[in-house]
Amino acid sequence: MLKRSRGGRLEPLMESWMIRDTSAQDRQLKHEPQRGKRWLKFGIGAVVLIVLLVLIVPTATRLFSSDSSASMSRLRIAEVKRGTLTREVSVQGSVVAAVSPTLYAASAGTVILDINAGDKVSKDQVLAEVVSPELSNRLQQEQATRESLEIDVQRASLDHRKQQLAAKKLLDQAMIDRQTAKREVERTQRAFDAGAMSEMDLLRTRDALAKADITVANAEAGMKLDVESLAFELKSKRLALDRQRLLAEDLQRQVEELKVRSPVDGQVGQLIVQQRANVAANAPILTVVDLSALEIEIKVPEVFAHDLGIGMAAEIRDSSGSYSGTISAVSPQVIDGQVSGRIRFGEKKPAGLRQNQRLTTRILMDEHPDVLMVERGPFIDSGAGRVAYVVRDGVAERTPIEVGATSLNAVEIISGVKEGDRIVISGTDLFNGAQRVALN
């Protein structure tokens, strides 16, 4: 409802039953800060200030006392521990045959192959033959010459016996003539003593005996000379026969070598020539692989060349397990930063191995028990093994050290650090040779 006011405006008519507001009852209170809250704020600020000083002052102290600074996120730090350092090297190797001969043609000719690549063969089995008509013809000629010389030796032996008999006959006749002359002298001597013959006759018979003695001596000397002469001649013919026999035997050997035989039990590897190909002397024909004597050929980094030695133990791994082995050969040359070697299997080896199959090998060089060691890293090379950065209270300090044996994963520290020390093993190139480096 509206009513008109004194000024002529219309105003709502307030009924007596309506609820009045509380504006008449409200009053503003005056706020006064409490002293306890003020001191609480001061305490919290002091604590925060002290904490900031605790955190900032050591860092500032490290920064001002250090030559440089570096971020720990770019570093690798390892702890020095005590334990057994095993020097070993793990490399990949290829299975190769310890015995894998290449067979060559003994003479020029045409090759006839009796096998195929991959065939299993046994020792002394004929694998191929080189047909050489020229060599076969020479063998027949030399064999005929040998037979001719054999006949000559037999003939010379018969002539030798004949001449010996003739010389013996002359000697026997001379001895008989001397015996006759001796008896004539004895008879004439008796007749001269009896006065029945003259002294001239006696002297004549004595001269005949002397002549008979000379004849016997000459016959004996002649027979001796004939025997020696015939012996020399026979020996010369026999030597010629022996020479010819050796020549024929050598040609026979060469003809036999035209049959290419397997030197081992194994498998035919590669056929180097084609069937019925013409080859020159000493030309390769094929290879044979001895599968019973397999080894592993390895390439070891040059850094281990001085430590690698024949007889060292090795461990060979494949999908079926681990097998023992020993180093059987080490090359004296370094090629492309690597040294070649051979590992021989122990009593057991994996079944079904194949040529050029890849296997993992681990060579055990030696062990150093109860030594201080740390994880291996680039700090060895950057510090030449004489310097390391030891981390203490957030500062990496350059410290002289002495290293000993090294392995793929660890390095022995002989002096300069103690067990439990922490060493920067990677990222020291950021320090630029500084004596102290603050880490943040």
Side-chain angles (χ1 to χ4, degrees), residues 13-294:
L13 179 63
M14 303 298 297
E15 297 291 339
S16 59
W17 53 264
M18 296 183 64
I19 300 175
R20 296 181 179 180
D21 59 11
T22 60
S23 62
Q25 299 177 358
D26 294 336
R27 60 190 181 96
Q28 184 176 3
L29 298 179
K30 190 175 183 180
H31 178 70
E32 295 181 359
Q34 300 179 0
R35 294 183 179 181
K37 292 183 178 180
R38 188 188 319 172
W39 286 108
L40 178 61
K41 291 181 179 180
F42 287 157
I44 294 174
V47 170
V48 171
L49 180 60
I50 292 173
V51 172
L52 291 176
L53 290 175
V54 170
L55 295 177
I56 294 174
V57 170
T59 303
T61 303
R62 290 197 306 270
L63 290 175
F64 285 118
S65 63
S66 302
D67 302 327
S68 179
S69 65
S71 174
M72 293 187 64
S73 62
R74 302 179 65 181
L75 307 178
R76 285 183 58 201
I77 300 176
E79 182 180 350
V80 177
K81 300 180 181 179
R82 185 171 293 274
T84 299
L85 185 141
T86 301
R87 299 185 65 229
E88 62 183 18
V89 56
S90 181
V91 294
Q92 288 288 325
S94 301
V95 177
V96 296
V99 180
S100 181
T102 300
L103 307 184
Y104 296 85
S107 179
T110 303
V111 177
I112 299 178
L113 299 173
D114 297 335
I115 42 77
N116 297 313
D119 289 351
K120 291 185 177 180
V121 296
S122 58
K123 186 176 181 180
D124 294 330
Q125 178 181 341
V126 177
L127 308 181
E129 184 175 359
V130 180
V131 179
S132 177
E134 179 184 357
L135 189 60
S136 299
N137 187 28
R138 284 181 53 197
L139 174 61
Q140 294 176 2
Q141 293 178 4
E142 299 300 338
Q143 287 178 340
T145 303
R146 181 191 61 187
E147 294 175 357
S148 176
L149 290 177
E150 287 177 350
I151 295 175
D152 289 343
V153 169
Q154 294 176 1
R155 183 182 296 109
S157 180
L158 290 175
D159 293 341
H160 183 216
R161 288 199 296 269
K162 284 183 178 181
Q163 294 183 18
Q164 280 185 331
L165 290 176
K168 185 66 170 54
K169 180 179 179 181
L170 292 176
L171 177 60
D172 293 341
Q173 291 177 354
M175 293 180 68
I176 293 174
D177 293 341
R178 186 185 64 176
Q179 187 67 25
T180 301
K182 184 177 179 181
R183 291 174 182 173
E184 185 66 22
V185 169
E186 292 175 352
R187 184 181 65 79
T188 305
Q189 182 66 44
R190 287 195 299 271
F192 175 76
D193 293 340
M197 295 190 69
S198 63
E199 183 179 3
M200 184 64 67
D201 294 333
L202 177 60
L203 294 174
R204 189 180 295 111
T205 56
R206 288 178 179 177
D207 292 341
L209 177 59
K211 183 179 178 180
D213 290 337
I214 294 173
T215 303
V216 170
N218 290 333
E220 289 177 349
M223 186 182 70
K224 185 177 180 180
L225 290 175
D226 289 342
V227 170
E228 292 179 357
S229 176
L230 293 172
F232 282 130
E233 184 179 355
L234 182 60
K235 184 178 181 180
S236 176
K237 291 184 177 296
R238 286 177 176 172
L239 289 175
L241 174 61
D242 293 339
R243 178 181 177 279
Q244 185 63 31
R245 186 175 292 148
L246 291 174
L247 182 59
E249 289 176 356
D250 182 65
L251 285 173
Q252 181 66 43
R253 177 188 58 80
Q254 294 181 34
V255 170
E256 287 295 328
E257 288 180 352
L258 294 177
K259 296 181 179 180
V260 182
R261 302 177 184 271
S262 174
V264 295
D265 295 331
Q267 186 177 15
V268 177
Q270 178 184 6
L271 298 179
I272 304 175
V273 299
Q274 299 295 326
Q275 182 72 271
R276 294 191 175 277
N278 291 324
V279 296
N282 301 319
I285 298 177
L286 55 89
T287 60
V288 180
V289 179
D290 185 1
L291 298 179
S292 64
L294 295 176

Side-chain angles (χ1 to χ4, degrees), residues 382 426-433:
S382 61
S426 177
T428 56
D429 54 335
L430 302 175
F431 298 167
N432 295 323

Side-chain angles (χ1 to χ4, degrees), residues 300-303 305-306 331-340:
V300 181
E302 182 182 358
V303 67
H306 296 292
S331 174
Q333 295 181 339
V334 177
I335 301 176
D336 296 332
Q338 294 181 324
V339 177
S340 299

Side-chain angles (χ1 to χ4, degrees), residues 299-316:
K299 302 287 187 181
V300 181
E302 182 182 358
V303 67
F304 297 101
H306 296 292
D307 303 319
L308 206 63
I310 297 176
M312 283 185 175
E315 184 181 41
I316 305 163

